Amino acid sequence: MRLSFRRRAATGSRRRANPTRVGRVDVVGGGPGPADLMTLRAHRLLAEADVVVADRLGPADEVRTRLDSDVLIIDVGKGPGRDPIPQAQINALLVAHARAGMRVVRLKGGDPFLLGRGGEEVFACEAAGIPVSVTPGVTSAISVPQAAGIPVTHRGVASALHVVNGQGPFTGSTLASLADPSVTTVVLMGVAALPRLVDAARGHGIPDDRPVAIVENGHTPRQRTLRSTLGAVLDEAAAAHVTNPAVIVIGDVARAGLLLPASTQYAESAM
């Protein structure tokens, strides 16, 4: 079934810009990629939008092809070494278009409140007196490992989850989660930081046989999974030319053969 964000005639036309009336901002989680993994509310808000301010990840490309031609799409996506529009400017864009009477959707990959800076955008709108709401999305921290057959918790294997931003420092709480075999550690935005992560973990006494999985391009036809160990992952990731976007999973749930046969290691998704 092909999903569309275009308004049907039976449901009325989208509200047009009205400078005499303040619009609103909806911060929407787009999930891990496919548009059909977004919520029904996210689809409705996109169909009502005058302006879509979109990230690079999530369903942005698919959404672009399905919006009405008169919807303004603003690309603010960040990538490795690429930060074209600072967060303060993104906040200002949301406020300016809403003040012009627009319905603005801030479309983000994953969930807006999990390492997505959605809270900053809500704060900026509230400070400016702009009505704002948040629509949750499926977070890549759980859904991307799931796409590779990795449950972030699993009875008798892992009973807790620790999520960390790979671009930040690896604090004592992260090292403690890595050391605890009952905890799964998920690292987002961590490919470039993998050497630093491995050094910190090994320096903290984490054993070299701790399972590690790296899932690239989860929920897309380009998905592939590398299953390794803490002691081998640097060499194996380099040999496989692992790149972003990817989610790193560390813990016993990442071991080959837990749910999927070990022969599926680093195979491209059959999606």
Side-chain angles (χ1 to χ4, degrees):
M1 180 180 68
R2 181 174 173 82
L3 301 173
S4 175
F5 306 114
R6 293 181 172 86
R7 295 286 283 179
R8 308 290 187 196
T11 62
S13 60
R14 194 172 57 248
R15 186 180 72 180
R16 306 316 309 158
N18 184 343
T20 66
R21 176 177 56 194
V22 174
R24 62 172 291 112
V25 173
D26 288 284
V27 181
V28 173
D36 60 358
L37 289 181
M38 290 193 299
T39 64
L40 290 173
R41 181 181 298 176
H43 281 270
R44 175 177 61 79
L45 292 171
L46 283 163
E48 296 172 350
D50 301 302
V51 179
V52 175
V53 181
D55 277 350
R56 177 178 67 95
L57 300 179
D61 289 340
E62 192 172 354
V63 164
R64 283 181 176 86
T65 67
R66 301 182 184 184
L67 291 168
D68 285 333
S69 60
D70 59 346
V71 176
L72 175 61
I73 303 173
I74 303 173
D75 181 6
V76 296
K78 299 177 176 66
R82 176 178 175 268
D83 188 2
I85 302 182
Q87 186 63 49
Q89 189 174 340
I90 295 174
N91 297 346
L93 281 170
L94 301 177
V95 170
H97 285 290
R99 278 183 172 157
M102 302 281 193
R103 290 290 302 267
V104 182
V105 167
R106 173 66 174 108
L107 182 62
K108 308 178 77 69
D111 183 89
F113 279 5
L114 183 64
L115 302 180
R117 305 189 72 169
E120 298 172 50
E121 293 164 352
V122 169
F123 181 83
C125 291
E126 290 180 339
I130 301 296
V132 60
S133 69
V134 179
T135 297
V138 178
T139 173
S140 59
I142 297 173
S143 62
V144 169
Q146 172 269 319
I150 300 172
V152 293
T153 63
H154 190 63
R155 186 176 179 87
V157 180
S159 59
L161 172 66
H162 181 85
V163 181
V164 60
N165 179 357
Q167 297 178 346
F170 297 116
T171 63
S173 63
T174 296
L175 294 173
S177 77
L178 290 168
D180 187 340
S182 70
V183 177
T184 300
T185 301
V186 171
V187 185
L188 304 182
M189 301 173 284
V191 170
L194 187 59
R196 183 165 53 88
L197 173 64
V198 170
D199 286 346
R202 297 178 79 183
H204 194 67
I206 313 302
D208 280 353
D209 63 355
R210 184 62 48 85
V212 178
I214 305 176
V215 187
E216 295 177 71
N217 295 295
H219 286 285
T220 78
R222 301 181 305 281
Q223 177 179 316
R224 57 181 193 164
T225 303
L226 171 67
R227 294 180 188 266
S228 184
T229 62
L230 188 67
V233 69
L234 290 182
D235 289 340
E236 293 184 355
H241 305 290
V242 169
T243 61
N244 279 311
V247 173
I248 302 170
V249 184
I250 304 171
D252 286 342
V253 296
R255 72 175 184 262
L258 178 67
L259 294 185
L260 295 180
S263 61
T264 63
Q265 175 168 317
Y266 216 68
E268 294 198 9
S269 169
M271 294 174 59

